[in-house]
């Protein structure tokens, strides 16, 4: 009986410890590179979290549409400033070939406010992180 009680207490202690570690993990924070990412697969410590991932194909009429005013790449992402009917928007997507003057579409997502990109050493007042963008015309 004592042996069973000791084993049950040990299991309970491990379960409680495991739960505490999960709670301590930061949640909802963007990585240093600038945009939310998926974790690297287990067994690849220090590996590229973007390895094997590609921008999603965006269908026509996805939400936002505008002309590219500025673009820059950093830490596996492309940051694009778009003029949509006179309103300037910043959007970040996984690294994508796009150039100034292209007309692009991307889905609507809630923007992040005062987002700080450490790799660009810049704070964006408002930026949308989209799963990809579609080049409508060049």
């Amino acid at each position: 009986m004592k042996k069973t009680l000791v084993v049950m207490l040990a299991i309970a202690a491990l379960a409680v410890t495991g739960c505490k570690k999960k709670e301590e993990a930061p949640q909802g924070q963007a990585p240093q590179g600038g945009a939310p990412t998926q974790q690297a697969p287990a067994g690849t410590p220090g590996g590229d979290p973007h390895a094997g991932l590609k921008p999603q194909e965006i269908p026509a009429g996805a939400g936002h549409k505008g002309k590219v005013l500025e673009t820059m790449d950093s830490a596996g992402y492309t940051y694009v400033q778009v003029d949509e009917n006179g309103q300037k928007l910043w959007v970040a997507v996984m690294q994508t070939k796009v150039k100034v003057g292209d007309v692009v579409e991307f889905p609507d997502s809630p923007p992040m406010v005062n987002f700080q990109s450490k790799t660009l050493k810049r704070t964006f007042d408002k930026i949308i992180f989209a799963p990809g963008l579609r080049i409508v015309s060049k």
Side-chain angles (χ1 to χ4, degrees), residues 29-42:
Q29 292 182 351
Q32 183 178 4
T37 61
Q38 296 177 358
Q39 289 184 338

Side-chain angles (χ1 to χ4, degrees), residues 73-137:
D73 293 332
S74 178
Y77 290 90
T78 298
Y79 294 80
V80 182
Q81 186 180 44
V82 176
D83 180 354
E84 182 180 45
N85 300 322
Q87 181 182 5
K88 293 179 181 178
L89 301 172
W90 278 101
V91 61
V93 295
M94 289 185 61
Q95 195 159 342
T96 303
K97 289 185 180 185
V98 63
K99 62 183 187 283
V100 172
D102 287 351
V103 176
V104 296
E105 290 182 322
F106 55 94
D108 192 26
S109 297
M112 290 186 72
V113 179
N114 295 323
F115 175 75
Q116 183 179 6
S117 169
K118 292 181 182 175
T119 58
L120 291 173
K121 295 178 176 67
R122 176 178 184 161
T123 299
F124 295 90
D125 293 336
K126 214 191 289 192
I127 188 167
I128 294 173
F129 287 94
L133 57 82
R134 176 177 179 270
I135 299 175
V136 177
S137 65

Side-chain angles (χ1 to χ4, degrees), residues 1-72:
M1 180 74 173
K2 288 181 184 178
K3 199 179 214 182
T4 304
L5 182 61
V6 170
V7 170
M8 290 178 67
L9 287 174
I11 291 171
L14 287 173
V16 170
T17 303
C19 290
K20 285 183 182 175
K21 285 184 181 176
K22 287 181 184 175
E23 291 173 13
E24 292 170 4
Q27 301 216 0
Q29 292 182 351
Q32 183 178 4
T37 61
Q38 296 177 358
Q39 289 184 338
T44 57
D48 180 2
H50 308 113
L53 297 178
K54 296 180 181 177
Q56 291 183 9
E57 189 170 323
I58 305 301
H64 291 281
K65 181 177 180 180
K67 187 174 185 176
V68 175
L69 302 175
E70 185 178 347
T71 181
M72 61 189 94

